[in-house]
Amino acid sequence: MTLGDYRGRWIVLFSHPADFTPVCTSEFVAFAQAQGDFDALGCQLLGLSVDSLPSHLAWLDAIRRELKVTIGFPVIEDPSMTIARAYGMLDQTAENSSTVRSTFIIDPEGIVQTILTYPLSVGRSVSEILRTLKALQRTAKGGVLTPEGWQPGQAVFDPASLTTESVSEQNSPLWFYRLREDEA
């Protein structure tokens, strides 16, 4: 499998420090429960850790049996740490193979649009990753910016004018803050 196999789709590639850990398990359960939302947005989930394929299979089976949640997205093994190092998921000077909780949102052209990194001790927010994906998809259509905490259907910003002439034509002290209803 390569990221190129998913060209034309949005991708959420996320690393987890290790199989059979509580925070990672909670994240995988949350991603699995939200997979339908990601699928509806044309987004492929891809998990990754430096653990081996047998470890992944045993862990995913334990989640299915004990937590009654099936993980329906690929989980990539990276025991050589090649991918983890290439994407900065593992510090070159790390004393062990635990990756940080990195999340990459990659657009259909293969361009990384967002990088989120959490320490080993803090679980990431799947709902925030979904929100960010929706905002990226909306702004990719062009012509708008999304404000803090934006959700579909909420107001958006017009891009700020970048010339003195266009600013003076607007005759507003808030020329840089033009919030409006979203038409998409």
Side-chain angles (χ1 to χ4, degrees):
M1 144 189 321
T2 69
L3 288 179
D5 295 339
Y6 299 100
R7 188 65 47 96
R9 297 191 65 174
W10 288 84
I11 299 169
V12 171
L13 170 65
F14 62 97
S15 65
H16 64 282
D19 297 346
F20 296 102
T21 58
V23 177
C24 297
T25 302
S26 73
E27 292 175 331
F28 265 65
V29 167
F31 274 118
Q33 290 171 335
Q35 184 166 2
D37 296 327
F38 285 99
D39 290 346
L41 295 169
C43 182
Q44 175 66 52
L45 294 172
L46 297 173
L48 176 137
S49 88
V50 298
D51 288 328
S52 68
L53 180 59
S55 177
H56 288 341
L57 293 173
W59 180 49
L60 299 178
D61 185 56
I63 291 171
R64 182 189 55 76
R65 280 184 294 100
E66 301 303 322
L67 299 175
K68 310 295 185 229
V69 175
T70 299
I71 306 302
F73 49 84
V75 182
I76 303 163
E77 68 168 340
D78 186 26
S80 68
M81 299 179 270
T82 303
I83 300 168
R85 281 199 168 92
Y87 277 79
M89 298 172 181
L90 182 69
D91 188 324
Q92 297 293 334
T93 62
E95 293 181 21
N96 61 43
S97 63
S98 293
T99 55
V100 293
R101 296 178 195 289
S102 294
T103 305
F104 299 86
I105 302 177
I106 304 167
D107 74 13
E109 303 302 316
I111 298 169
V112 174
Q113 293 293 326
T114 301
I115 301 172
L116 302 165
T117 303
Y118 296 81
L120 298 176
S121 59
V122 176
R124 70 195 106 206
S125 169
V126 172
S127 62
E128 173 56 15
I129 294 166
L130 263 171
R131 187 205 71 78
T132 302
L133 174 63
K134 292 172 187 176
L136 288 167
Q137 289 181 339
R138 174 58 189 100
T139 60
K141 293 178 184 176
V144 301
L145 310 170
T146 58
E148 181 282 327
W150 179 87
Q151 295 286 341
Q154 293 180 339
V156 293
F157 287 114
D158 285 325
S161 299
L162 299 177
T163 66
T164 304
E165 183 180 339
S166 61
V167 168
S168 63
E169 286 174 3
Q170 293 189 24
N171 195 25
S172 169
L174 287 177
W175 56 269
F176 57 90
Y177 194 89
R178 296 177 308 161
L179 198 59
R180 66 167 169 85
E181 236 181 88
D182 192 5
E183 297 160 2

